[in-house]
Amino acid sequence: MENLSMRWGSNIVLDDIDLRLQAGERLVVVGPSGSGKSTLLRLLAGLQLPTSGRLRIHGEPQTYLRLDQRHPPDVRLVFQNPALLASLSVKENVGFLLYRFSRLSEQEIAERVDMALQAVGLAGIEEQMPGELSGGMQKRVSFARALIEDPTAPQSLTPLLLFDEPTAGLDPVACTRIEDLIVRTSELVQASSLVVSHVMSTIDRCAERVALLYDGRFRWIGAVEDFRVSTNPYVVQFRSGSLQGPMQPAEN
Ligand SMILES: Nc1ncnc2c1ncn2[C@@H]1O[C@H](COP(=O)(O)OP(=O)(O)OP(=O)(O)O)[C@@H](O)[C@H]1O
Ligand SMILES: [Mg+2]
């Protein structure tokens, strides 16, 4: 990202930011509510175009995602809310990409859906509907959907995995399972990962680097070891959860 800005009317959400994610790196982005974290992920996924600046993936400018096209760079987004399609079964949700674009048979897709559900600890629920699942289960199904592999797709360079608050609202054991999954998957497919999270255990387990976003800008970027001890006022306030400090809650 170079000089990347995103605004909605007079609301400047991202203000001239620069960030380079290394191939294979896991970065956790933290920042208060409304600071633009989800916006950043949507830009990376091609769901929105920036107001100005450059966003390149493997050196190629990111383009606006079209539903009828396969996206050339392999970018997968796990949304902040599960965003499952309510009228489709778990199998149809998880296998959505494969049903739509791959040349795999029904049987081959079913096997891959089964593997993806096993990976998130939800084997055997493929015929259920999203409305029959708990919130945490829906979240894990959305994870399986993002992680499913299409062996008939052209081989892509390092995939980019984007996780928007993947462990918010989960119990501590479910958190650990998801955090392990993020690390394992990133290593398995040699992906770069960008994880948005406020959960300390997720930062501890998933981050190699941490970036703190506030009021449109990265206020601190560094190694996770440094994040734990940094005396930067933004980092100190984030770690302590104090009301005193440079970060003030949004007015609404
Ligand atoms: N489609 C849109 N139209 C207008 N404003 C928007 C739109 N999407 C986001 N915004 C604004 O952009 C800002 C950042 O929103 P964003 O969802 O990226 O925040 P966030 O950091 O992910 O917050 P949270 O931690 O609550 O998820 C907010 O002020 C929001 O109102
Ligand atoms: Mg968000």
Side-chain angles (χ1 to χ4, degrees):
M1 301 164 214
E2 282 172 19
N3 308 116
L4 194 71
S5 293
M6 183 72 198
R7 44 183 89 194
W8 301 100
S10 61
N11 182 7
I12 303 171
V13 179
L14 298 175
D15 185 12
D16 204 21
I17 62 168
D18 292 287
L19 183 70
R20 176 183 280 265
L21 192 65
Q22 303 293 339
E25 179 184 30
R26 290 192 310 275
L27 175 80
V28 173
V29 174
V30 302
S33 186
S35 61
K37 305 176 301 296
S38 296
T39 301
L40 188 69
L41 296 191
R42 284 197 294 271
L43 292 174
L44 280 163
L47 299 177
Q48 275 160 5
L49 286 180
T51 315
S52 62
R54 277 182 299 283
L55 176 56
R56 289 178 301 181
I57 301 178
H58 301 309
E60 297 292 324
Q62 176 61 307
T63 51
Y64 192 66
L65 179 68
R66 288 178 44 178
L67 194 59
D68 58 346
Q69 273 180 359
R70 181 137 224 177
H71 216 200
D74 186 355
V75 181
R76 295 130 183 257
L77 169 60
V78 177
F79 291 90
Q80 185 163 4
N81 61 12
L84 299 177
L85 297 163
S87 61
L88 300 183
S89 68
V90 166
K91 179 163 89 175
E92 290 161 335
N93 267 286
V94 174
F96 192 83
L97 176 84
L98 303 186
Y99 284 114
R100 196 171 178 97
F101 290 111
S102 81
R103 301 188 304 274
L104 298 175
S105 68
E106 168 72 34
Q107 174 65 23
E108 287 169 319
I109 294 177
E111 282 166 15
R112 285 188 158 71
V113 168
D114 188 41
M115 273 162 49
L117 286 173
Q118 275 183 36
V120 297
L122 288 177
I125 65 158
E126 34 286 82
E127 299 308 332
Q128 293 196 34
M129 301 302 285
E132 299 168 350
L133 307 175
S134 74
M137 288 166 88
Q138 290 182 24
K139 196 141 194 162
R140 279 144 70 195
V141 170
S142 77
F143 230 87
R145 175 178 59 186
L147 301 182
I148 201 156
E149 291 289 339
D150 176 4
T152 64
Q155 281 300 308
S156 148
L157 298 164
T158 314
L160 176 59
L161 307 181
L162 307 172
F163 301 95
D164 201 347
E165 307 205 22
T167 50
L170 298 185
D171 67 75
V173 175
C175 276
T176 307
R177 184 186 275 138
I178 292 293
E179 289 152 1
D180 285 352
L181 192 65
I182 290 172
V183 174
R184 262 191 294 126
T185 313
S186 303
E187 286 172 354
L188 191 70
V189 298
Q190 298 187 324
S192 312
S193 311
L194 202 157
V195 183
V196 165
S197 182
H198 306 290
V199 179
M200 273 326 249
S201 69
T202 304
I203 299 169
D204 282 335
R205 289 210 184 84
C206 295
E208 292 168 335
R209 270 201 304 163
V210 180
L212 190 153
L213 188 63
Y214 177 69
D215 204 16
R217 296 202 162 203
F218 287 119
R219 306 296 167 160
W220 190 90
I221 302 180
V224 66
E225 298 79 19
D226 298 334
F227 185 75
R228 294 185 190 116
V229 295
S230 171
T231 55
N232 173 288
Y234 291 93
V235 177
V236 170
Q237 190 184 1
F238 179 87
R239 279 201 316 257
S240 67
S242 170
L243 295 176
Q244 311 302 322
M247 295 188 284
Q248 293 305 314
E251 274 156 30
N252 46 15

